[in-house]
Amino acid sequence: MDQIDQRFVPFVLPVRTGTAVTFPNSDSIAHQVYSFSPSKRFELGLYRGRPYPPVVFDKPGIVVLGCNIHDKMIGYVYVTDAPEFGKTDEQGMWRSGALGAGHYEVEVWSPLLARDEPSLARAIELTDAKPGELEVHLTRALRPEPRPQRDAKIRDY
Amino acid sequence: MNSIDVFKRPGVRDILAVAAAIGASIIAAPAGAVDEHEVVLQADLRGVAVDSPLASFTEGGLGLLRFDAANDGAQVGRVLLDVSGPIGETFRYTLTTSGTDDGDRHALDVTEAYLDWRPYPTNAWRWRARVGAFYAPISLENRAIGWQSVYSLSPSAINTWIGEEARTIGAEIATTWLGAHSDHDFDVTLVGAAYRWNDPFGVLLFQRGWGIHDRQSPLFGELPRMFVRDPDNRTLEFFHEIDDRTGYYVGAEIKWTNDWLVRALHYDNLGDVMDASAKEPTWRTRFDALGARIELPHDVTLLTQGMLGDTEGVPRNGRGMFLVEFWAYYALVSQRYGQHRYTARFDRMYTDTERGAQFFESAQNARAWTLAYQFDLNEHWQFALEAVRIEGSLAQRADLGLAPHATERQLQLAVRWTR
């Protein structure tokens, strides 16, 4: 999980429970990363350049990342036990080739979902005969994504 | 005690010496050991052309701009040295020094020096405390290192005045409810501060009215006095404690999705104006400030701030009391387009003596337009072109035999090198 132009990059990082994640800082200014989310509380004291040892995300859940110096920086580590998971591409597509026949629960999540968006959990039945397809439509507009702050001179007084 | 004695108090020069030593040791230390310390050095050179019948306030005149017709040509905008970094896990220091090469008492002087404590948030409420000398959270323009405007060379009249006369020398505590961490779109910050050493706050607004420029008064600096009544008192100094009373401000800020920001602040230095024994009597200055910043698509920013307040003073002879009401507002639109930034701003400024105009009536009614273009060649070089036009009246000019109404125009080309 990198830090570029005062943003966490990627904005959302999905990982399997137990994954170790490093937090490099590619900005020329120092950041101070923390999370007080119940599934992972941690702090990385002010740093730039050399990263800290990786942080192990050992419990499933959504971990919200912040920088104690730059409040507008926000990022998410999505820690999951699901057998298959991933991030959608620019077109909103995600493919998995690893699933056999069976009944599956599919859950779609984004930090940008509107607060009143109805549940995006769906069920899908897969058979060996043909690939399964599931379309999930949002009923509310997504919230805006954080913008990059390319001007390193900004201190926000 | 006269104001010169203040500078001879043990401690003040020691602070400067310690600050210089911190700066020097950081620069001299091996690079690996100072990884987290940030040293920013900026040299800002200007080409200036002014069309104004008035001498600049920096020369003791009643012109509202930083430069006057006698300054046409090359000028130093600012030399800035800013050092910041961690002390342990949760403390940070910031020291901002600058020089403007216009005859102030020190070639390099401190504009801000503070210690900032930010414990890690353990829940949605994040706390922050500062002690030292720093700017109150009023300006929405002065967001760059060294409290410089991001949008133009010269900030609005409101923030020009803050840079001239206001500095919190004391302690501030703030708490932010981090909504984004609990799936909300907004953060809320509440802030409060207690401070001293700001008793002359208001004297410049009383004497000269609102100005538009980027010269920040350093903590140990001075300006020539516009109205000299006492030949031994020819300068204005802003950061003194006279009445042994503590002032305060309280404020709030709301930020939605980082694109909308509203900020409000109530400020009152609680000055005791009856103590007329000091060389520079105390001014009681209080105001409310309100501002909003909106980030639109295509990197367009809309900004507006307003301020309404009054300042009260007693002349050194102790007879009578002045009360000057003031207000100002501005609206700014700016667009960043790749390496380019275009900004237009309209300022409206007003002061009026409500009571006790025994020497002169302090009254201003003026408008200003500012157009700015900035080009960031790379992270080290910036070029900026800015035109300011101020038109309006300042009643106290008549007291010096000048026409109250004037139009002042200033064109500046800045070359800024930062590392």
Side-chain angles (χ1 to χ4, degrees), chain B residues 270-293:
Chain B
L270 293 175
D272 177 9
V273 298
M274 298 318 287
D275 183 1
S277 60
K279 184 170 178 177
E280 183 61 60
T282 296
W283 289 78
R284 165 90 187 267
T285 295
R286 53 197 170 168
F287 59 77
D288 294 306
L290 184 67
R293 183 169 65 222

Side-chain angles (χ1 to χ4, degrees), chain A residues 54-72:
Chain A
V55 176
V56 178
F57 290 85
D58 45 12
K59 275 190 223 146
I62 295 164
V63 180
V64 188
L65 307 171
C67 168
N68 205 23
I69 309 298
H70 307 101
D71 277 343
K72 61 172 288 186

Side-chain angles (χ1 to χ4, degrees), chain B residues 70-85:
Chain B
N71 297 128
D72 280 2
Q75 295 292 337
V76 172
R78 185 184 191 187
V79 176
L80 168 73
L81 174 65
D82 183 279
V83 190
S84 62

Side-chain angles (χ1 to χ4, degrees), chain B residues 15 19 93-96 110-115 131-134 168 219:
Chain B
I15 292 167
Y93 68 88
T94 300
L95 173 70
T96 309
V110 179
T111 51
E112 287 189 286
Y114 59 90
L115 202 59
V131 289
F134 48 87
T168 308
L219 293 181

Side-chain angles (χ1 to χ4, degrees), chain A residues 1-47:
Chain A
M1 176 63 89
D2 203 351
Q3 295 155 81
I4 303 169
D5 292 337
Q6 297 185 39
R7 276 197 307 188
F8 287 103
V9 180
F11 180 45
V12 179
L13 178 68
V15 298
R16 195 177 302 285
T17 308
T19 303
V21 176
T22 52
F23 290 84
N25 174 5
S26 297
D27 277 343
S28 60
I29 55 172
H31 295 302
Q32 194 175 32
V33 180
Y34 69 86
S35 165
F36 53 82
S37 300
S39 55
K40 187 70 193 178
R41 289 171 176 271
F42 71 100
E43 291 133 15
L44 304 177
L46 207 66
Y47 71 107

Side-chain angles (χ1 to χ4, degrees), chain A residues 8 25 28-38 41-52 62-76 109-116 143-157, chain B residues 32 34-39 42 82 84-86 89-90 92 94 96 112 114 118-124 126 135 137 139 142-148 150 176 178 180-185 187 255 257-259 263 293 295-299 336 376 379 382 418:
Chain A
F8 287 103
N25 174 5
S28 60
I29 55 172
H31 295 302
Q32 194 175 32
V33 180
Y34 69 86
S35 165
F36 53 82
S37 300
R41 289 171 176 271
F42 71 100
E43 291 133 15
L44 304 177
L46 207 66
Y47 71 107
R48 56 178 179 160
R50 59 187 156 76
Y52 283 89
I62 295 164
V63 180
V64 188
L65 307 171
C67 168
N68 205 23
I69 309 298
H70 307 101
D71 277 343
K72 61 172 288 186
M73 284 177 67
I74 193 141
Y76 299 85
W109 178 81
S110 162
L112 304 177
L113 291 177
R115 285 176 59 76
D116 56 350
R143 296 185 287 192
E145 213 173 316
R147 296 163 194 258
Q149 179 62 267
R150 293 202 175 82
D151 192 343
K153 292 193 286 291
I154 290 202
R155 178 174 277 164
D156 263 323
Y157 285 82
Chain B
V34 296
D35 204 28
E36 290 81 16
H37 298 274
E38 293 163 29
V39 180
Q42 186 181 85
D82 183 279
S84 62
E89 274 271 303
T90 53
R92 272 168 77 77
T94 300
T96 309
E112 287 189 286
Y114 59 90
R118 290 181 191 233
Y120 291 105
T122 54
N123 57 46
R126 203 273 314 282
Y135 284 103
S139 175
N142 299 62
R143 308 172 58 197
I145 286 175
W147 202 74
Q148 288 175 148
V150 171
T176 300
L178 299 162
H181 287 257
S182 45
D183 204 26
H184 286 81
D185 286 346
D187 291 349
K255 233 187 240 180
T257 66
N258 288 311
D259 287 341
R263 202 182 254 193
R293 183 169 65 222
E295 305 288 351
L296 295 173
H298 307 291
D299 284 328
R336 193 183 168 115
D376 288 307
E379 60 176 312
Q382 186 192 60
T418 310

Side-chain angles (χ1 to χ4, degrees), chain A residues 49-145:
Chain A
R50 59 187 156 76
Y52 283 89
V55 176
V56 178
F57 290 85
D58 45 12
K59 275 190 223 146
I62 295 164
V63 180
V64 188
L65 307 171
C67 168
N68 205 23
I69 309 298
H70 307 101
D71 277 343
K72 61 172 288 186
M73 284 177 67
I74 193 141
Y76 299 85
V77 180
Y78 189 97
V79 188
T80 176
D81 286 331
E84 275 293 288
F85 60 88
K87 248 169 73 169
T88 53
D89 61 17
E90 292 283 302
Q91 282 72 45
M93 294 272 284
W94 173 69
R95 283 187 182 80
S96 170
L99 296 172
H103 179 84
Y104 293 92
E105 293 286 330
V106 179
E107 221 176 277
V108 178
W109 178 81
S110 162
L112 304 177
L113 291 177
R115 285 176 59 76
D116 56 350
E117 180 69 52
S119 163
L120 297 177
R122 302 283 187 273
I124 185 170
E125 200 70 44
L126 297 183
T127 62
D128 291 328
K130 63 176 179 61
E133 220 177 88
L134 182 69
E135 266 189 36
V136 180
H137 291 274
L138 301 180
T139 57
R140 308 277 187 277
L142 286 175
R143 296 185 287 192
E145 213 173 316

